[in-house]
Amino acid sequence: MYTIGEMVRQFKISRSTLLYYDKIGLLSPSARSEANYRLYTEQDKARMTRISLFKEAGLPLEQITELLAEQNCRTEAILEQRLGQLNNEISKLRSQQQLIVKLLGQQHLLHTSKVMNKDQWVAILRACGMSDDDMKRWHIAFEQAMPQAHQDFLESLGIDSEQIKVIRAFK
């Protein structure tokens, strides 16, 4: 059995968070001590591990509650929805990052930030000995293997949508 203090320390959450989880029925202690203190079992600890993982993935508590329901068949759908949200957020953040570098007008920031543009990428490929035909074959293979990731990669380089269409249409 684990006390509230042990759970708080192990999962690096506040006592009030654990009490709130009890209040909303997300994680209730399985037992009470003689002094009426909350006690958590291994099963409770395993449930808290899953709660922590889902929280780390950015899921709201109501979805976590749904995911932990005994006969839940929507786990995959909920996680796929969250993945889609994250992909959209990442795309928006990359666009904002590129815009800020552009607004600052300081190209040296491209070397200190996690932004890479098309010219930098092409220079790296050329330094590796790739020709235009090699790069075209690389894009074709990328598109065939992972079309959405290819789209995202091209967007991350700051390539405009018309040029992306051309690149993705390579045959």
Side-chain angles (χ1 to χ4, degrees), residues 101 106-117 120:
V101 168
Q106 298 177 22
Q107 290 301 315
H108 73 278
L109 290 175
L110 289 174
H111 300 292
T112 60
S113 68
K114 295 181 179 183
V115 177
M116 179 180 281
N117 64 27
Q120 291 169 315

Side-chain angles (χ1 to χ4, degrees), residues 1-4 7 18 27-29 38-42 44:
M1 296 285 205
Y2 301 93
T3 65
I4 198 167
M7 293 289 280
L18 202 51
L27 178 69
S28 297
R38 290 169 171 80
L39 295 174
Y40 297 89
T41 62
E42 282 296 330
D44 297 332

